[in-house]
Amino acid sequence: MSLPPPVRHNVDALLNITSGRSTEPVPTANSYFDNVSGIYSGRWLAEHVTQATQLAPLNSSIPEGYKRPGDKTFGRLTIMLDSDELADKTIRLLHGTVHLQADDYSAILSLQGLYWSSCGSAVLYAAWEPNAQAAMDLVRAVPEKDAFLQAKSFYGEAMKERLPSLERYEDVAHNCDYQFYMQFDPVQSPERRLAGNDKKGHSAGDLSEDIRFLQTIAQPSELQAQLIMYSPDCSVAIASPQGQGVSGIGIERYRRKTIYYALAALTVLLSQAVLLVCQMRHTPTPAALAKISYQMLSIQLIIDSFTFTLHIIGCLSLGNVYIVFAVVAFLTFMVLGMFGVRYLSVVWRLQRPDVSDASTNEGRRELWMIYLRFYLILIPGTSLFYTYLDGGGQLVQWLVCAMMFAMYSYWIPQIWRNTKRGTSGGLRRDYVIGLTLLRLFFPVYLFGYAGNIAFNPPAAFIWVLCAYSIAQAAVLLLQDAVGPRFFVPAHLRPEVYDYHRPLALAAPADANESTVVDIDGPSPGSEQQEPLEQTGEADQDVSEPSAETVPHCAICLAPVDSAVPPANQHDRTTYMVTPCHHIYHTECLSQWMDIKLECPVCRASLPPA
């Protein structure tokens, strides 16, 4: 092994190598895991090496096209290791990948090497692509003579069948390859275990049996290690920061973790589907659907689309647990396709009848524009998320943060529609509360939970996003309870039509139909319209109507008690008068307007109540 003096010193200290001592596995004072297969994550620090020797010359300039991390660069890494047994049970064959991520550097390298369970040391070679030269470089990277001979014997035998299938060195794309050294932490020191046994009344002779049991654990639950990487091609060393190593979990435990995640995700998605079905049943009529913002539904579908595509990427990236991501992605697609798209299409056709007909040129053009906007958001957004998870820089992090806040503003269009139209009650209360909390599951798990299966570090902005989303839901609930424009200053509120305005009656031409004459003129927000029929005196006393002038509701055909003083607003809530001067019971017309926003008598359009 040819390493510059600083790197060699650190490797010797890491692997506990002293002058004249071989790394041939010998019994040590510590006990190590027999199987280190697992998924690891941690931080790393890169330093450019400037001290050279005759045996380890430095490249004054890296080869053209090669890329290395900057000097004093911090980053994070993810290591996936799997192992196979060899004839000597104290040595295992390792293979896997290492993913290095930093603001200005990202690399996914293939790993292959050996692990000595008697001393907890692993020597690997990290190459951009598996090739025959990398297999030989691995053996040469072993630090000492005895260990080198073991590696040459065992690794050569294990690789004999694989070598023909590997790419030739000249056929692969090259970059900074690394000699890779790992030292795993011991399971538990014998002194501590012995003290524990003595306290429990166990004999010291049981210790060796306990250690053998720990060494034969098939999949360890907690794994800790320190690492050093050195690239001869690029003269850069990468190591765990002082006091910080890599930590990991065994493959089986990681699989259980992904299963728990899948169960939680399935529960969330099924709950969303149930809430959406209940909301669809809550708005069965055109008048009820007119209260729903289709922009709100569109943003929610974009969120579901991101959830689907990111789980598909996880399915392709993590082969060991692909079925978990596939199931979550499939259910997301079902919720997206069966309920979300259907509800959006119904609302869109109702609110945009002029362009919802796909058989016309304008309808087809509008439909294509919808698809274009959708994919212009989905494809770049998915790439941005993938770059973020791949260790994107500060700009990428800010863009992801901004995109998350934009997507989780999905209640804003509904709040605006309620305020603009002066209506509320379009959304069920349990739908608003439940969907707000359920849609926070995926971002909180990915950006707020340190133990997430993507090994993504927590980000502080996620808690601001939660507060922002809950605040929107609170405004929606207050619009239902207090009024859709409760937060708008009185002088800025648009004038709305008053269905309970004072009126004077006109003699009806039909016992089942009554028209009215306004006392105070037309109500704000309505157009001046002549009564359909008007007879009798205009100055008729509204406090004492005659039998001929008592109006009847055209819906229930019962008399409407409208003979109240004009100043008594409370008594005027018993009736409603339309802009076209027809009068009804408040309860009758309210129920009618839940179905149609048009007058039952003359079919004139009615403003929202």
Side-chain angles (χ1 to χ4, degrees):
M1 175 186 65
S2 298
L3 294 174
V7 180
R8 177 58 186 264
H9 174 75
N10 292 334
V11 171
D12 288 349
L14 177 69
L15 303 182
N16 195 26
I17 300 173
T18 58
S19 178
R21 179 188 171 190
S22 76
T23 55
E24 183 178 357
V26 293
T28 64
N30 293 319
S31 175
Y32 299 91
F33 285 117
D34 180 60
N35 186 355
V36 292
S37 299
I39 300 179
Y40 302 78
S41 63
R43 303 279 295 172
W44 55 266
L45 170 64
E47 293 186 10
H48 293 177
V49 180
T50 58
Q51 186 175 358
T53 65
Q54 184 176 1
L55 294 177
L58 296 180
N59 293 329
S60 57
S61 61
I62 63 175
E64 183 179 357
Y66 283 37
K67 185 178 181 181
R68 65 177 178 178
D71 192 28
K72 306 300 181 182
T73 296
F74 279 94
R76 56 192 178 93
L77 59 80
T78 303
I79 303 173
M80 300 185 66
L81 277 184
D82 203 355
S83 64
D84 298 321
E85 291 185 351
L86 297 176
D88 187 338
K89 300 300 182 181
T90 63
I91 303 178
R92 296 183 73 92
L93 180 66
L94 299 180
H95 51 88
T97 59
V98 57
H99 188 183
L100 301 172
Q101 306 169 37
D103 290 347
D104 58 350
Y105 181 76
S106 179
I108 300 178
L109 307 174
S110 174
L111 287 175
Q112 46 189 327
L114 294 171
Y115 168 68
W116 286 265
S117 59
S118 59
C119 56
S121 301
V123 179
L124 306 99
Y125 197 85
W128 281 75
E129 294 184 40
N131 60 81
Q133 182 66 37
M136 291 183 283
D137 288 340
L138 163 65
V139 177
R140 287 199 290 265
V142 176
E144 293 292 336
K145 180 179 179 180
D146 293 336
F148 169 79
L149 295 176
Q150 283 186 326
K152 182 178 179 180
S153 173
F154 289 108
Y155 193 73
E157 187 67 27
M159 291 294 296
K160 186 180 298 183
E161 296 181 359
R162 292 187 58 198
L163 283 175
S165 64
L166 295 176
E167 297 288 343
R168 294 183 301 171
Y169 185 74
E170 60 271 15
D171 293 339
V172 300
H174 299 292
N175 214 305
C176 298
D177 294 347
Y178 293 86
Q179 298 170 3
F180 198 108
Y181 305 95
M182 294 183 72
Q183 179 61 47
F184 291 86
D185 292 353
V187 176
Q188 191 177 34
S189 65
E191 292 80 8
R192 292 179 57 188
R193 184 59 180 270
L194 180 58
N197 285 344
D198 289 342
K199 290 180 181 179
K200 296 178 183 178
H202 294 284
S203 64
D206 295 333
L207 178 59
S208 60
E209 181 179 353
D210 293 340
I211 292 178
R212 283 195 300 271
F213 171 74
L214 287 172
Q215 287 180 326
T216 56
I217 295 177
Q219 297 293 342
S221 58
E222 296 294 341
L223 297 162
Q224 303 287 333
Q226 302 290 326
L227 65 85
I228 294 177
M229 302 170 59
Y230 174 69
S231 173
D233 299 322
C234 301
S235 298
V236 60
I238 294 176
S240 303
Q242 187 66 30
Q244 302 181 35
V246 294
S247 59
I249 59 176
I251 292 294
E252 287 303 321
R253 188 184 175 199
Y254 183 75
R255 287 172 179 165
R256 289 196 301 270
K257 197 172 184 179
T258 58
I259 291 175
Y260 296 151
Y261 164 77
L263 292 176
L266 295 179
T267 302
V268 167
L269 292 171
L270 288 175
S271 300
Q272 287 185 21
V274 171
L275 289 174
L276 185 56
V277 170
C278 293
Q279 172 61 29
M280 294 170 69
R281 292 178 177 175
H282 179 67
T283 53
T285 63
L289 289 171
K291 298 180 180 180
I292 307 300
S293 168
Y294 72 86
Q295 290 94 344
M296 172 201 69
L297 298 177
S298 301
I299 298 175
Q300 292 186 24
L301 285 181
I302 291 175
I303 296 176
D304 291 335
S305 300
F306 276 117
T307 304
F308 170 75
T309 54
L310 291 176
H311 280 88
I312 289 295
I313 292 175
C315 176
L316 299 176
S317 302
L318 299 175
N320 290 328
V321 291
Y322 74 93
I323 189 64
V324 172
F325 290 91
V327 170
V328 176
F330 174 75
L331 189 56
T332 305
F333 179 76
M334 294 298 292
V335 173
L336 179 71
M338 293 183 61
F339 303 108
V341 173
R342 177 184 175 187
Y343 195 35
L344 174 62
S345 62
V346 172
V347 174
W348 183 67
R349 284 198 300 266
L350 176 72
Q351 298 182 13
R352 300 292 303 276
D354 52 326
V355 295
S356 60
D357 187 2
S359 62
T360 64
N361 290 333
E362 187 177 1
R364 284 192 294 269
R365 183 166 51 253
E366 181 68 17
L367 189 61
W368 277 108
M369 289 302 299
I370 290 176
Y371 282 121
L372 179 62
R373 289 192 293 267
F374 174 76
Y375 286 111
L376 284 179
I377 295 173
L378 180 63
I379 295 176
T382 302
S383 301
L384 187 63
F385 267 112
Y386 184 79
T387 304
Y388 174 84
L389 297 176
D390 194 41
Q394 191 68 29
L395 177 61
V396 173
Q397 296 176 17
W398 280 106
L399 289 175
V400 168
C401 179
M403 188 169 66
M404 290 294 296
F405 274 91
M407 288 194 301
Y408 277 79
S409 300
Y410 54 87
W411 290 133
I412 297 296
Q414 185 63 49
I415 294 173
W416 168 249
R417 187 171 184 83
N418 290 348
T419 305
K420 181 180 179 181
R421 302 179 76 247
T423 59
S424 59
L427 300 177
R428 290 168 55 99
R429 179 174 300 178
D430 55 355
Y431 177 77
V432 174
I433 297 175
L435 203 65
T436 300
L437 298 178
L438 291 173
R439 287 203 176 278
L440 288 173
F441 169 77
F442 290 108
V444 168
Y445 181 84
L446 182 61
F447 297 102
Y449 175 48
N452 61 80
I453 59 177
F455 299 100
N456 186 57
F461 81 87
I462 187 60
W463 307 117
V464 181
L465 180 69
C466 292
Y468 174 63
S469 185
I470 293 173
Q472 295 176 61
V475 172
L476 270 178
L477 296 178
L478 287 174
Q479 284 186 314
D480 289 344
V482 182
R485 295 168 175 163
F486 75 94
F487 56 89
V488 181
H491 65 282
L492 296 179
R493 296 178 185 176
E495 294 182 342
V496 296
Y497 179 76
D498 182 13
Y499 278 93
H500 306 289
R501 68 182 189 272
L503 52 85
L505 295 175
D510 191 322
N512 297 334
E513 178 181 333
S514 295
T515 61
V516 297
V517 178
D518 294 339
I519 291 178
D520 299 332
S523 175
S526 65
E527 296 181 358
Q528 179 66 40
Q529 300 186 33
E530 294 296 332
L532 297 181
E533 299 181 23
Q534 181 174 338
T535 58
E537 299 295 331
D539 58 350
Q540 183 177 356
D541 185 0
V542 298
S543 61
E544 296 180 1
S546 62
E548 290 80 6
T549 61
V550 173
H552 288 72
C553 175
I555 297 176
C556 69
L557 306 182
V560 179
D561 184 10
S562 59
V564 297
N568 193 335
Q569 178 66 35
H570 176 71
D571 291 337
R572 294 206 306 270
T573 59
T574 59
Y575 67 85
M576 296 177 70
V577 59
T578 63
C580 50
H581 308 289
H582 294 104
I583 188 170
Y584 307 90
H585 291 116
T586 297
E587 183 179 1
C588 295
L589 187 59
S590 296
Q591 294 180 8
W592 174 271
M593 292 175 67
D594 285 339
I595 301 175
K596 290 183 178 181
L597 288 176
E598 60 181 34
C599 177
V601 175
C602 65
R603 305 305 182 192
S605 297
L606 300 179

